[in-house]
Amino acid sequence: MKIAYISTYPPRECGLATFNQNLVKALSLNPTYDSQKSFVVALNESDDVNEHHYPEEVKFVIRQQNQQDYIEAADFINSSDIDTCIIEHEFGIYGGNSGVFLLSLINRLKKPFITVLHTVLKEPNFMQQTIIKEIASKSAKLIVMSKKAVMFLSSIYQIPQSSIKLIEHGVPDLEPVANNEIAKSELFRGRKVLFTFGLISRNKGLETVIKALPGIVAQHPDVLYLILGNTHPGVVKHNGEEYRDSLKTLAKDLGVEKNIAFVNKFVSEEELHQYLTACYLYITPYLNEAQITSGTLSYAIGAGAAVISTPYWHAQELLADNRGKLFDFKDDTKLAAIVNDLLTDSDKYQKLKQNAYKYGLNLRWPAIGNNYLNVLNEALSAETKAARTIPPIIDVEGMPALNLSHIALLTDDTGIIQHARFGIPNLKEGYCIDDNARALIMAIMAVEQDKNPRALAFMPVYLSFIQYMQTEDGNFRNFLSFNRQYLDEVGSEDSFGRTIWALGYLVCSAPNNSYREFGRELFSHSVKHFKKLNYLRGKANTIIGLSYYLCAHPGDELITNEINMLANSLVASYKENKDGDWHWFEDILTYDNAILPLALLHHYDATGNMDSYRVAMESIQFLSGFSFENGYLNPVGNAGWMKKHGKNPIYDQQAIETMAMVLLYAKTFELTKNDEYLNLMHISYKWFLGENSLHIPLYDFETNGCADGLQFNSVNRNQGAESTLAYFISHLTVLKAAEEEYETLSSPLMEAEKSS
């Protein structure tokens, strides 16, 4: 078997690095393992690929915060002849928010893999829970090291227990040496040593042991508390050796400074084993229960040490059945009593050591390695999952149910509120006509789709808001404060165009005559401003509104002249800026880009103008050419936009950009019946559900809102009206397109083609 390991790796001083190296060694003992062709993909903390001098088995290095490295690592593994992968997971070793960059690797990986979870949180945040669920969905198996972790994954993350395998933390395959140099050292000679090892930080609770020392030393003056390990690098970076110094000060204040010693270094496993077999008692005094796995505790049990610990999760399991003793968090009095009892009662002490040693035999790496090998063989022998493809007919059943609860939360009797902090309306930001126009479009679509009663109830609210924002001369203001005070005299051309879009759509598809007549009145009052529009997106949004108006009133010469005038302006701008392989309307792509070709398709649909159609299709091909990578949508990012003949900056990605792409491809499919555009529409929609460059959903299944954007290492967790409406308009567009495709596939011509 040939295996790729993805984790940290020595000489990096890290618990996962040591674990990964031990796993490599354990699996290499099996005769079916191919050591020559197996390799390690190592994670570096810095941008320096030469940060560590790795051994020869490390064939690829990922710089933690460089997302491209994760993609290239997947390609490197895919091009190799390895059979399977083992990924060690800890949130802190991977880049992006909560290690989200790892998803770029696993979603590109074509080899089966298992994932070892070294941390399973009881109260994960949105990103953490989402990442673990995504990892679980792609892994052949999740490996955890405690029963509590299995329970958490099942109950909190809703991961089936059949996807989870419990394999305890491995320990070195070592026996006590006859000539233990540590035991003979001056530090240990004539002392009963209490021992703690690992990276030092405040959450380790070392002060609890020091506070217990006076009560212990009073009965056993030969006791020494030895702390082995460097201070955690993160602690050193921000606070230096402040914590270690505070421990020394505490010991001095308590009069036990001669009963405490520090060995400030990172030791080999062989040397650590000598410390564990030389000490009298091993203590882990951690301060809270939320530790699902402790490698240090496993090592102590594996060495047959007598162990005392606070009752964190792993300790509760590992020290059960009299394999160790527990004391409450920060309870130095109870700790002193347990230590004194074990120092006095030799039989009780020896029984504890014997139980630990016997249990530790099952944890030794050769046995643990065989358990991993069995899981890997199961992964390889299991039926290979079919590659995910866009179905011929859109999988409507796989889409989230339409739930407008977050829209309802943002909507009051004035209109829809612009912004939300996380999922909570931010009243300070008030309202804008932009969002209320989008909200009206969404409500009309929802009523069209399934006569949604909640959407129907929203419509008069959004309509009355638009009417309230219309000026006497037919233009529109944009912003309104929460106390209903106008914040501008005239809104932007973008907001004007979106409002005309909404009103035109209402005239075309209103659920009753009252709304249609009301919309037509507002629309007609604004016609005089169409000729005053200067900016392309204002014109494009207006064109779409006019095309819908003409659906209801196809013989209206005034509106036909207006839409022709605006469309001709877009076409002229395209021809002016077209240059070589640059097929666009401007010399830069900024925001809401797909609206421009979408407007020309609407113009063609309303008037049959072939010039608009040709320009639209040519610019669609150009836009599509750089907007999709690795099977998902990468809309133009707003970090500098995409300049002529330049590159797409990727981030930040906005929901309205994706909505425009969904609408564009839906309209193109409607006009051409070409499945290619249906597929592109579906791929674009899946951006909201996690098929994006970070593989994190922006649609929040808990709040039914949509995150405000996709950033380079996370999602913007605010869920305002613009992004949430962009999601629901996209959702409803996909549902409508699915119906159109079904009708196409069910047509007599298609049936005849299938039968032939």
Side-chain angles (χ1 to χ4, degrees):
M1 182 181 292
K2 300 177 285 294
I3 303 171
Y5 304 82
I6 303 163
S7 179
T8 54
Y9 204 72
R12 180 172 173 180
E13 295 180 0
C14 163
L16 261 70
T18 304
F19 181 96
N20 195 29
Q21 186 179 53
N22 282 329
L23 183 57
V24 172
K25 291 177 179 178
L27 289 171
S28 67
L29 297 175
N30 193 285
T32 66
Y33 181 80
D34 189 336
S35 298
Q36 295 300 313
K37 293 186 178 179
S38 297
F39 59 83
V40 173
V41 174
L43 275 296
N44 274 12
E45 287 181 284
S46 75
D47 282 339
D48 181 8
V49 293
N50 298 313
E51 179 184 7
H52 302 291
H53 298 292
Y54 289 114
E56 63 178 0
E57 60 264 30
V58 174
K59 302 299 184 186
F60 194 97
V61 175
I62 294 175
R63 294 165 293 178
Q64 183 175 345
Q65 298 299 337
N66 190 317
Q67 188 183 12
Q68 186 61 31
D69 284 3
Y70 294 82
I71 294 170
E72 292 176 5
D75 291 341
F76 180 81
I77 294 169
N78 291 336
S79 64
S80 73
D81 59 355
I82 66 107
D83 302 304
T84 184
C85 305
I86 299 176
I87 299 175
E88 308 291 340
H89 182 267
E90 173 73 56
F91 289 109
I93 72 168
Y94 297 106
N97 187 351
S98 299
V100 70
F101 287 173
L102 175 61
L103 301 188
S104 300
L105 189 157
I106 66 173
N107 277 277
R108 196 173 177 86
L109 202 57
K110 296 178 181 178
K111 308 281 186 176
F113 65 91
I114 64 173
T115 304
V116 185
L117 299 181
H118 290 258
T119 298
V120 180
L121 300 175
K122 184 180 181 180
E123 297 179 346
N125 62 31
F126 170 83
M127 285 292 290
Q128 291 162 342
Q129 186 172 42
T130 301
I131 288 167
I132 294 298
K133 285 183 174 181
E134 180 71 5
I135 291 171
S137 72
K138 303 298 186 302
S139 300
K141 215 75 160 180
L142 292 181
I143 308 298
V144 295
M145 303 178 199
S146 67
K147 296 175 184 176
K148 183 78 75 173
V150 176
M151 184 188 75
F152 285 172
L153 289 175
S154 176
S155 61
I156 299 169
Y157 299 80
Q158 292 85 48
I159 295 170
Q161 290 198 15
S162 60
S163 300
I164 309 165
K165 177 72 174 179
L166 172 59
I167 302 178
E168 293 193 75
H169 197 295
V171 301
D173 186 23
L174 299 171
E175 292 290 340
V177 295
N179 189 20
N180 190 333
E181 295 296 329
I182 300 296
K184 295 190 301 181
S185 68
E186 184 178 348
L187 198 60
F188 275 70
R189 193 179 305 127
R191 311 295 292 266
K192 289 182 177 177
V193 176
L194 314 180
F195 181 50
T196 296
F197 81 92
L199 292 173
I200 295 175
S201 59
R202 289 190 180 275
N203 64 340
K204 297 299 177 69
L206 304 178
E207 60 273 14
T208 305
V209 185
I210 297 173
K211 290 177 181 178
L213 282 178
I216 298 169
V217 171
Q219 296 185 35
H220 303 278
D222 58 344
V223 159
L224 174 73
Y225 180 38
L226 176 63
I227 300 170
L228 169 64
N230 295 323
T231 301
H232 193 285
V235 175
V236 172
K237 182 178 180 180
H238 294 100
N239 301 301
E241 293 292 351
E242 178 186 343
Y243 179 54
R244 188 188 296 268
D245 292 341
S246 73
L247 295 175
K248 293 177 181 177
T249 301
L250 176 62
K252 185 176 181 179
D253 292 344
L254 294 174
V256 292
E257 68 270 22
K258 294 182 180 180
N259 299 89
I260 184 171
F262 291 89
V263 177
N264 187 7
K265 67 176 182 177
F266 189 87
V267 298
S268 68
E269 284 190 342
E270 290 75 13
E271 189 175 356
L272 175 59
H273 194 267
Q274 291 187 44
Y275 274 101
L276 286 167
T277 52
C279 76
Y280 200 85
L281 292 168
Y282 178 73
I283 304 174
T284 56
Y286 302 157
L287 293 179
N288 65 73
E289 66 176 359
Q291 180 144 346
I292 207 79
T293 304
S294 170
T296 60
L297 186 67
S298 298
Y299 277 29
I301 291 294
V307 179
I308 308 172
S309 177
T310 49
Y312 54 90
W313 294 327
H314 195 203
Q316 291 177 37
E317 293 184 26
L318 198 54
L319 302 185
D321 300 326
N322 200 34
R323 293 190 290 269
K325 297 292 182 182
L326 300 175
F327 66 98
D328 289 337
F329 301 105
K330 299 183 180 181
D331 191 345
D332 53 275
T333 303
K334 180 67 178 293
L335 172 59
I338 294 173
V339 171
N340 284 329
D341 184 40
L342 291 174
L343 290 174
T344 304
D345 191 331
S346 177
D347 290 341
K348 188 179 292 185
Y349 171 75
Q350 290 299 330
K351 185 63 176 175
L352 212 62
K353 284 177 65 69
Q354 290 168 11
N355 290 343
Y357 177 81
K358 184 177 179 181
Y359 191 82
L361 292 174
N362 301 316
L363 305 182
R364 296 194 179 186
W365 272 114
I368 295 296
N370 286 334
N371 290 337
Y372 273 90
L373 200 63
N374 291 335
V375 174
L376 291 170
N377 280 321
E378 289 175 13
L380 288 173
S381 62
E383 184 178 353
T384 304
K385 293 180 180 179
R388 291 174 300 159
T389 58
I390 302 299
I393 298 178
I394 295 166
D395 180 20
V396 174
E397 296 298 321
M399 296 171 62
L402 184 68
N403 187 322
L404 300 181
S405 58
H406 189 61
I407 297 292
L409 187 66
L410 293 175
T411 301
D412 60 16
D413 60 353
T414 298
I416 192 165
I417 293 162
Q418 278 193 82
H419 297 297
R421 292 286 295 158
F422 296 90
I424 308 303
N426 185 356
L427 305 182
K428 293 179 180 179
E429 300 294 334
Y431 317 84
C432 71
I433 201 168
D434 252 339
D435 289 336
N436 279 271
R438 289 191 191 94
L440 179 58
I441 292 168
M442 183 280 302
I444 298 168
M445 294 176 73
V447 172
E448 281 185 305
Q449 178 61 38
D450 62 1
K451 295 184 170 50
N452 188 288
R454 182 173 252 179
L456 188 62
F458 290 151
M459 287 179 64
V461 176
Y462 305 142
L463 255 176
S464 64
F465 182 90
I466 292 172
Q467 189 267 343
Y468 185 67
M469 298 298 282
Q470 189 168 41
T471 61
E472 289 186 5
D473 70 347
N475 210 328
F476 296 95
R477 296 180 174 90
N478 192 9
F479 297 110
L480 187 74
S481 69
F482 184 65
N483 62 357
R484 298 183 180 177
Q485 298 297 309
Y486 295 127
L487 298 178
D488 55 7
E489 290 301 317
V490 178
S492 67
E493 289 192 8
D494 282 9
S495 63
F496 176 89
R498 291 190 186 103
T499 306
I500 296 302
W501 179 347
L503 293 174
Y505 192 31
L506 179 69
V507 170
C508 177
S509 303
N512 58 55
N513 285 327
S514 177
Y515 291 172
R516 180 177 290 106
E517 291 172 12
F518 187 75
R520 187 177 183 185
E521 182 179 286
L522 298 178
F523 180 96
S524 299
H525 196 33
S526 299
V527 172
K528 68 184 76 169
H529 294 281
F530 297 167
K531 288 183 172 64
K532 301 175 185 177
L533 295 172
N534 294 306
Y535 298 106
L536 293 183
R537 284 157 185 79
K539 294 177 181 180
N541 283 293
T542 301
I543 288 169
I544 297 171
L546 300 187
S547 74
Y548 281 121
Y549 183 92
L550 288 172
C551 288
H553 303 282
D556 192 317
E557 291 187 11
L558 173 61
I559 299 304
T560 300
N561 290 336
E562 295 290 341
I563 196 173
N564 287 337
M565 177 266 300
L566 293 171
N568 289 340
S569 175
L570 259 63
V571 169
S573 182
Y574 176 83
K575 292 178 178 178
E576 180 181 344
N577 286 279
K578 179 181 175 181
D579 178 20
D581 60 357
W582 182 261
H583 297 168
W584 199 242
F585 302 83
E586 301 169 289
D587 61 1
I588 187 171
L589 285 101
T590 55
Y591 64 96
D592 222 1
N593 294 295
I595 291 296
L596 302 179
L598 175 62
L600 293 183
L601 289 181
H602 274 273
H603 179 235
Y604 163 74
D605 195 25
T607 67
N609 187 292
M610 287 304 299
D611 205 15
S612 285
Y613 180 81
R614 282 190 291 269
V615 169
M617 297 305 289
E618 196 172 278
S619 58
I620 288 169
Q621 185 176 5
F622 171 74
L623 183 63
S624 303
F626 60 81
S627 296
F628 296 90
E629 186 178 357
N630 304 321
Y632 47 77
L633 174 69
N634 264 331
V636 173
N638 64 11
W641 311 116
M642 180 175 165
K643 298 178 176 63
K644 191 171 187 177
H645 303 309
K647 291 184 178 180
N648 182 1
I650 306 293
Y651 298 108
D652 291 353
Q653 299 177 14
Q654 304 298 308
I656 59 163
E657 200 69 35
T658 298
M659 178 192 80
M661 299 292 271
V662 170
L663 291 169
L664 174 64
Y665 293 124
K667 188 66 177 178
T668 314
F669 171 71
E670 176 193 329
L671 296 175
T672 66
K673 303 305 180 190
N674 185 335
D675 283 348
E676 174 190 351
Y677 300 110
L678 190 77
N679 290 342
L680 291 174
M681 179 207 69
H682 200 194
I683 293 170
S684 299
Y685 167 71
K686 288 292 189 72
W687 179 91
F688 290 104
L689 303 182
E691 292 193 15
N692 50 53
S693 56
L694 290 188
H695 305 282
I696 289 290
L698 284 86
Y699 178 71
D700 189 333
F701 290 82
E702 183 178 64
T703 65
N704 302 114
C706 179
D708 277 354
L710 190 71
Q711 300 164 338
F712 80 97
N713 67 346
S714 184
V715 296
N716 184 332
R717 292 281 288 126
N718 294 329
Q719 298 175 6
E722 178 183 286
S723 55
T724 298
L725 289 166
Y727 168 75
F728 282 112
I729 289 172
S730 300
H731 180 100
L732 290 162
T733 299
V734 172
L735 291 179
K736 183 179 179 182
E739 293 174 0
E740 291 176 4
E741 187 190 19
Y742 178 78
E743 292 171 1
T744 301
L745 291 172
S746 302
S747 68
L749 179 59
M750 289 297 294
E751 291 296 332
E753 287 182 2
K754 284 189 282 186
S755 63
S756 63

